[in-house]
Amino acid sequence: MITDSVTTHNLARTLREHALRMVHAVNASHIGTCLSMADIIAVLYSGVLHLNPADPTLPDRDRLILSKGHGAAILYAALAETGFFPVDELNTYCRENSRLMGHISHHVPGVEVSTGSLGHGLSFGTGMALACKRDNSNWRVFVILSDGELDEGSNWEPILFAPHHQLDNLVAIVDYNKIQSFGTVEEVLSLEPLRAKWEAFGWEVREVDGHDHAALTESLSSIPFKTGKPSVLIAHTVKGKGVSYMENSLAWHYRSPNDELLTQALDELGCGE
Amino acid sequence: MRTRFIETLCRLAAQDERIWLVCGDLGYSVLEVFRDRFPNRYLNAGVAEQNMTTMAAGLAHSGKIVYTYSIANFPVMRCLEQIRNDVCYHNLPVKVVAVGGGLAYGTQGYSHHGVEDLAVTRVLPNMTVFAPGDPWEAECVTEAAANIPGPCYIRLGKAGEPNVHNCRPNFEIGKILTVKNGTDITLLSTGGMLVTALTCASLLEDKGISAQVLSSPSLQPFDIDSMHNIGMSTKHIATLEEHAEGGLATIVAEQIAFENLDIKLIPFRLQRNPTTVAGSQEHLRSLHSLSPERIVSRIYKWFPE
C-alpha cells in the first residue's frame, strides 16, 4: 500500500521540521545528512515498509537498518510520526539520559540495529536476509548507506556476498549526497563509476533523484529490481536539501542553526512557527 | 579439541534447529561433517571475517544461534569492532570460536598466534569467555554456549590434545574444576596449559611439594569463590596460560586485590614481545619460559629447604 505523494511530501516536511528543531535544541551535528535522506525516509515510512508500530518485533516485518547511523534524528522523527513512540519524546533527543542517542540506537522502538561506526549495517542486513531466505520467509531488508561510508572496506564484503547467495530480499539505498565528513566524495575518495562497481559485483542497480517522491516510490515498490539479485538504489541527493544555506555545504555536517537560522529554515520549508 | 567441538555441535544442531555454523573459509577436514548434515544451517562466508561476524549478528537477530569459526586470531582481532558493536552491544547469541588459540599454529609464524584474545574478549559487555583445557571441557563449553542467550567466545586448542579428565567433568559456567588435590600450592591453568600443569605437579611432588591442579575453562564470569578457598588453603597460586598480559594472571591478580585475599601469585604467561621465530608449540612455549622445568624451577624458590 503506497500513499499518495501529497502525503509523503507532508511527512517529509514534518520530518525535516522535527530534525531541524531537534538539532537546534541541543546544538547537535549531522543536520545536512538528515535532510539529504528525508525524502527517502518519508517514502519508506509511507507504506513501502511493512511494519506494525503496535508490534515492532513482528516476525514477518520488513527490516530497515540505518547504516549511516549519524542520520539518527530524521529516523527517530519518522518512527515517532508513524507511532512507534510519542512525538513528544523527540524533545529529549541527545539530552541527559535520553534513549535518543546521537547515533541510532536499537533501544528505541522501531530501530532494529544500533550503528554509528560506519560499514556495519550492510553485513547485518545481509545476515538477516540470509536467515529470511533459509526460513522461506518473505520479508525484506532495507539498508541505508552513506556515500562516504562506502570508503569502508567492510561494505565490499557483503556487496560481494549478497549476489553470490542471490539475496533478492536485500535492498541497499545509497544516500549519494556527494559530501562526506571532511570534503567532497570526489576530493576525498571518489566512488565513480559507482553504478558500474555495484553492477560488477552482481547487484541490480537503479539510479534515482533521491528527492523525487514519485520516482522513489516507484523504485522502492519494485523490489527486487530483478529476481535472484540484490537491489541497490543509488539515490542522488543534495546534502542539506530544502534549506538554502545548508545545501551542498560541508559545514552543515557539523553546524547547528541558531534561532534566526532555524526560523529561516522553517520558513523556507513552509513549516512556519 | 576441535574434533570434540564439531561432534558436540552436530549433536546440538540435531536437537535444536536454531543452531548455525558460519566459517571464514577455514575448517578443512573438520567442518565437513556439519556442512554435509546441516547444509541449510551452514555457511562459508569466505575469507571475510568482518562480514562473517556481523552477518552472524544478523542471523542471530533473526532467531538463530550462530557459531562463527576460524583459526587463532582471525575470528577475534580482525573483526573486534564487529564483535563489540554488533554482537555484544546487541547481546546476540553469536558464539565466536577460535581454533588453535595461543601458539598452536607455532611454525606458521606470529600472524597465526592468538595470544591476546582472552584479554580483549573478557572486557566486552555481555560476553562469556571460555578456554577449555581438554576435549571434555571443550564439549562442556560448546554445550553451555548454546544455552547462553548472549555472546560467547570459545578459544579451542587445535587437535590431538589428550583427555585430562577421566570422564565428563562436573562443569558449571564460571566455575573452576579440580583436577588434582594438593596442599602446598595451587596450579591454576586455563586452556591448553592443563597438561603442563599436571606435569609440573608431578615434578613438584618429586621435591615433596604437594600441588593442587585446577582448570578454569571459564574466564568470564570467573570463579571468585575458588579464589577465597585458595586464600584459606594453599595461599600460593601459579597461573598457567598460553596468553599474554590481560588473561588469567590479570584476572586472578584483580581478584586478589579486589577481594583482599592473602594469596601469593606467580604468573606464568607469554611475554609481551611477539614470537619472531618458527617452532613447534612446545618449543615456542619454552622460549616464553613455559616449559614444565622452567615453571617448577621458579616455583621451587617459594619453598626453600
Side-chain angles (χ1 to χ4, degrees), chain A residues 214-225:
Chain A
L216 284 168
T217 300
E218 196 280 323
S219 284
L220 292 170
S221 305
S222 309
I223 304 299
F225 296 156

Side-chain angles (χ1 to χ4, degrees), chain B residues 128-193:
Chain B
T128 300
V129 177
F130 296 122
D134 82 338
W136 278 116
E137 292 185 13
E139 177 173 337
C140 291
V141 303
T142 303
E143 281 180 11
N147 293 318
I148 292 170
C152 296
Y153 173 64
I154 302 174
R155 175 211 263 213
L156 294 176
K158 199 174 167 188
E161 295 91 348
N163 277 313
V164 171
H165 300 280
N166 296 324
C167 58
R168 184 188 170 90
N170 187 23
F171 172 84
E172 283 183 68
I173 296 165
K175 291 296 176 190
I176 282 171
L177 295 166
T178 301
V179 180
K180 175 189 169 303
N181 290 314
T183 54
D184 296 327
I185 183 172
T186 297
L187 305 180
L188 175 62
S189 165
T190 193
M193 289 296 285

Side-chain angles (χ1 to χ4, degrees), chain A residues 96-173:
Chain A
E96 313 289 17
N97 296 318
S98 172
R99 59 183 174 177
L100 304 185
M101 298 191 292
H103 289 80
I104 202 76
S105 165
H106 74 286
H107 296 285
V108 177
V111 178
E112 300 285 353
V113 172
S114 295
T115 60
S117 178
L118 297 170
H120 288 242
L122 190 57
S123 286
F124 220 124
T126 301
M128 291 174 173
L130 184 69
C132 175
K133 281 282 180 189
R134 294 272 178 103
D135 287 344
N136 295 314
S137 297
N138 294 313
W139 42 273
R140 293 93 46 86
V141 186
F142 295 75
V143 182
I144 302 178
L145 303 156
S146 72
D147 44 18
E149 175 175 16
L150 292 175
D151 295 355
E152 294 278 7
S154 58
N155 279 311
W156 298 92
E157 294 181 1
I159 291 173
L160 189 61
F161 180 96
H164 181 85
H165 289 271
Q166 302 181 338
L167 299 181
D168 62 6
N169 55 345
L170 177 66
V171 189
I173 302 170

Side-chain angles (χ1 to χ4, degrees), chain A residues 141-218:
Chain A
V141 186
F142 295 75
V143 182
I144 302 178
L145 303 156
S146 72
D147 44 18
E149 175 175 16
L150 292 175
D151 295 355
E152 294 278 7
S154 58
N155 279 311
W156 298 92
E157 294 181 1
I159 291 173
L160 189 61
F161 180 96
H164 181 85
H165 289 271
Q166 302 181 338
L167 299 181
D168 62 6
N169 55 345
L170 177 66
V171 189
I173 302 170
V174 181
D175 178 10
Y176 197 5
N177 61 33
K178 320 293 190 297
I179 297 177
Q180 52 189 101
S181 294
F182 201 8
T184 67
V185 172
E186 271 312 295
E187 290 167 345
V188 177
L189 205 50
S190 175
L191 295 171
E192 290 301 328
L194 184 58
R195 180 187 187 109
K197 288 185 173 72
W198 287 89
E199 284 177 339
F201 278 71
W203 291 63
E204 190 67 17
V205 185
R206 285 198 190 185
E207 293 187 71
V208 69
D209 174 348
H211 305 298
D212 180 338
H213 286 220
L216 284 168
T217 300
E218 196 280 323

